[in-house]
Amino acid sequence: MMGILEKMRLDGKKAFVTGGARGIGKNIAIALVEAGADVAIVDVDLDEARKTAEELAALGAGTMALQTDVTVPEQVDAMMAEIVQRFGKLDIAFCNAGICINAPASEMTYEQWKRVMDINLTGVFLTAQAAGRQMIRQGSGGSIINTASMSAHVVNTPQPQCSYNASKAGVIQLTKSLAVEWAQQHIRVNCISPGYIGTELTLNSPTLKPLIEQWNAMSPLRRMGRPEELQAIAVYLAGDASHFTTGSDFVIDGAYTCI
Ligand SMILES: NC(=O)c1ccc[n+]([C@@H]2O[C@H](COP(=O)([O-])OP(=O)(O)OC[C@H]3O[C@@H](n4cnc5c(N)ncnc54)[C@H](O)[C@@H]3O)[C@@H](O)[C@H]2O)c1
Ligand SMILES: O=C(O)C(=O)C[C@H](O)[C@H](O)CO
């Protein structure tokens, strides 16, 4: 009988990770590879995506770097076609690319609002849709994991980010909707809601960096998370050990949203 760790292995499975060039996406791509999967790195930043793909190849994975803007349907279709041509199939989709624009609601431009919605919500829809269509064609099920945020649950302060918070709340309800629509095709759809995680998005932003001390004081663990602290949940959700898990949102925030 297979033990639990064996059941969590991803040998032979094929995956893509959007926003996979760096940060959370890169760390989850590494985890999927360590568990046995081949992983396509999908990102607008081709140079970084190539570097990450090279790191995955050094770990022994089948991989590729694809330049795709997740907001452009034609590019998402081309991405899916390239993955199927080179990997032969798709089992796991991690729809993760996202941005945050900090602007007060009263001053936010239409373009700022739309950009965040386009990448964070429409981009997740388009990439999850492409994955779901491919998994339906294959008839063998699959696992789709979307990146939401603790910002889907609470309003972060002091930085103003209404479009980000709204987009991430949308990701959770989109996830549940797809989970219900695709349940009979054995396509599981879940999302993760990380708390503050140390990546380019937070650590290298001149406006956000000065806020880190304040964020830490508001967090029971008194620190931000590290991207590798999201790896285990992603491997669990990607593989067959999580058969009965679909339509769920996993808040991984060091208890930030508990208080
Ligand atoms: N860092 C945090 O504190 C935190 C917390 C909760 C949720 N998140 C979410 O996690 C995800 C990853 O965040 P991160 O911290 O790793 O950010 P990051 O900025 O380090 O990485 C994001 C990646 O997405 C890519 N990207 C941006 N726009 C894209 C587009 N249109 N098409 C394809 N790729 C695109 C970027 O090039 C980059 O490689 C985002 O959805 C973010 O909202 C982050
Ligand atoms: O909570 C999130 O989802 C984050 O990404 C944290 C953001 O970086 C932060 O709130 C941006 O202002």
Side-chain angles (χ1 to χ4, degrees), residues 100 102 148-151 156 159 161 164 194-196 201-202 208 215:
C100 184
N102 293 115
S149 169
M150 68 167 169
S151 311
N156 299 85
Q159 70 279 18
Q161 48 183 47
Y164 185 83
Y196 289 118
L201 191 131
T202 45
L208 296 180
W215 293 346

Side-chain angles (χ1 to χ4, degrees), residues 29-40:
I30 290 170
L32 298 179
V33 163
E34 286 175 352
D38 293 330
V39 180

Side-chain angles (χ1 to χ4, degrees), residues 2 51 93 166 222 233 249:
M2 241 201 262
K51 280 190 219 154
R222 302 281 182 264
I233 186 72
D249 171 48

Side-chain angles (χ1 to χ4, degrees), residues 102-110 112-113 160-163:
N102 293 115
S106 57
E107 291 163 25
M108 184 174 286
T109 64
Y110 170 74
Q112 286 176 321
W113 168 269
Q161 48 183 47
C162 68
S163 57

